[in-house]
């Protein structure tokens, strides 16, 4: 970005074409970077934030929590952005099939979930009485992740619980792989320790934040060739991942960042 900025300021770049599959992954500020790189420099970063970003106060200044003036932003983007959908560029491909499978928690899992839920209420109520409301919101959201961990796998919180009693999602995968081959299956979860357990239990490739670029590319190629199945942490595959050969993708939870 810095190298581009220097070249841009010296008018050494005549034409710019940006290709991206994720123009905005986390928040609206990422769009400003793309706009600047594409040569739109008539609006500063801070002007862009004031116009399009929802903010809350934070100890370090402010935190961006969302988007505002959406219609105006879309109108502005249409002047410089061309969007191509899969149906436009590859009409021969069959449509994606989405299926939501509701998986109730196991008895021990549900018991622990209810227990932690009561504990969280006791922790959260005092926080609501403090003066720093924005910091309180962040603390509450972080604490709520415990419930999400239990809904995935109670042994993420209490390691002594046997896995077949701690996670009905593991039971689901157990049944799934009895009827279906694992090669070409791509599994996602937000939690690294959960991904590691699944990879070890079913002999799957593992993609997380610790993997090298070379090893990641190797696993993705093997997945696309239907030689292996892969489980990944959602955060580690948000950029630069191309898996047209994946036969089935299973999302065990939704990505959630407090």
């Amino acid at each position: 970005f810095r190298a581009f900025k220097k070249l841009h300021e010296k008018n050494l770049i005549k034409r710019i074409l940006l290709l991206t599959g994720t123009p905005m992954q986390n928040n609206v500020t990422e769009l400003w970077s793309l706009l600047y790189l594409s040569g739109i420099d008539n609006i500063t970063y801070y002007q862009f934030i004031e116009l399009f970003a929802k903010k809350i106060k934070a100890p370090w200044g402010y935190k961006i929590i969302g988007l505002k003036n959406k219609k105006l932003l879309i109108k502005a983007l249409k002047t410089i952005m061309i969007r191509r959908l899969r149906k436009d560029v590859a009409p021969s491909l069959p449509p994606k099939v989405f299926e939501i499978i509701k998986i109730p928690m196991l008895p021990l899992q549900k018991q622990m979930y209810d227990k932690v839920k009561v504990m969280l209420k006791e922790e959260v109520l005092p926080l609501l009485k403090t003066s720093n409301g924005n910091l309180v919101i962040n603390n509450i959201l972080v604490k709520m992740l415990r419930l999400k961990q239990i809904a995935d796998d109670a042994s993420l919180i209490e390691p002594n619980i046997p896995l077949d009693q701690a996670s009905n999602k593991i039971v689901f995968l157990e049944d799934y792989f009895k009827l279906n081959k694992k090669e070409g299956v791509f599994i996602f979860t937000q939690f690294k320790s959960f991904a590691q357990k699944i990879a070890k239990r079913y002999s799957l490739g593992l993609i997380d934040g610790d993997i090298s670029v070379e090893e990641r590319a190797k696993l993705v190629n093997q997945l696309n060739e239907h030689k292996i199945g892969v489980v990944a942490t959602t955060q580690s595959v948000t950029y630069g991942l191309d898996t047209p050969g994946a036969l089935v993708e299973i999302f065990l939870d939704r990505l959630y960042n407090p």
Side-chain angles (χ1 to χ4, degrees):
F1 183 85
R2 292 179 180 176
F4 171 87
K5 188 175 180 181
K6 289 182 179 179
L7 293 173
H8 181 57
E9 290 173 347
K10 294 180 180 180
N11 294 320
L12 296 176
I13 299 177
K14 294 183 178 180
R15 291 183 177 84
I16 303 163
L17 176 64
L18 298 179
L19 299 177
T20 177
T22 51
M24 189 173 70
Q25 179 65 32
N26 295 307
N27 64 58
V28 71
T29 61
E30 297 165 358
L31 275 177
W32 181 85
S33 299
L34 295 179
L35 289 172
Y36 185 88
L37 288 173
S38 64
I40 308 299
D41 56 3
N42 59 350
I43 182 171
T44 68
Y45 173 82
Y46 295 105
Q47 289 172 335
F48 186 85
I49 295 304
E50 286 300 318
L51 190 57
F52 297 117
K54 286 183 180 179
K55 302 178 295 181
I56 60 173
K57 290 182 180 179
W60 56 88
Y62 62 83
K63 180 177 181 178
I64 295 172
I65 61 169
L67 170 69
K68 66 180 182 182
N69 296 327
K70 182 179 178 180
K71 290 183 179 180
L72 179 61
L73 179 59
I74 291 175
K75 183 178 179 180
L77 291 176
K78 282 183 176 180
T79 63
I80 61 167
M81 183 181 290
I82 299 175
R83 187 184 181 198
R84 288 291 178 264
L85 302 177
R86 187 182 60 143
K87 65 181 180 64
D88 298 324
V89 297
S92 61
L93 289 177
K96 291 181 180 179
V97 177
F98 293 91
E99 183 178 3
I100 298 176
I101 301 175
K102 295 184 178 181
I103 303 176
M105 288 182 278
L106 296 169
L108 187 59
Q109 194 178 4
K110 182 65 165 63
Q111 181 182 347
M112 187 173 176
Y113 185 95
D114 292 338
K115 181 180 177 181
V116 172
K117 188 176 179 180
V118 172
M119 292 171 56
L120 283 176
K121 285 183 178 179
E122 295 175 352
E123 294 178 18
V124 166
L125 288 175
L127 290 174
L128 294 174
K129 298 177 182 179
T130 62
S131 58
N132 195 336
N134 296 322
L135 185 59
V136 166
I137 291 173
N138 284 336
N139 286 339
I140 292 174
L141 293 176
V142 170
K143 291 179 183 296
M144 294 296 286
L145 275 177
R146 279 188 249 166
L147 293 177
K148 186 173 181 182
Q149 285 177 304
I150 296 171
D152 270 354
D153 174 10
S155 66
L156 297 178
I157 302 293
E158 183 54 63
N160 295 326
I161 301 177
L163 194 56
D164 57 356
Q165 299 178 39
S167 174
N168 208 14
K169 293 180 181 180
I170 289 292
V171 175
F172 163 79
L173 290 176
E174 201 80 45
D175 293 338
Y176 179 85
F177 285 130
K178 286 179 182 177
L179 301 173
N180 303 276
K181 63 179 184 179
K182 63 186 178 183
E183 291 78 14
V185 175
F186 203 179
I187 301 172
F188 301 86
T189 175
Q190 180 177 355
F191 302 108
K192 181 178 178 179
S193 54
F194 194 33
Q196 290 171 335
K197 288 182 181 181
I198 293 170
K200 183 177 181 180
R201 190 178 183 93
Y202 301 109
S203 300
L204 303 176
L206 173 65
I207 298 177
D208 59 21
D210 297 329
I211 194 172
S212 67
V213 175
E214 294 77 16
E215 183 62 22
R216 170 176 147 146
K218 179 181 176 181
L219 289 178
V220 170
N221 288 336
Q222 290 177 323
L223 174 71
N224 284 328
E225 295 169 359
H226 308 159
K227 293 180 179 179
I228 61 170
V230 172
V231 58
T233 56
T234 317
Q235 299 93 323
S236 67
V237 293
T238 50
Y239 291 103
L241 190 75
D242 188 15
T243 57
L247 301 174
V248 177
E249 294 185 345
I250 301 174
F251 292 82
L252 295 174
D253 49 63
R254 290 185 177 182
L255 179 60
Y256 166 66
N257 288 318

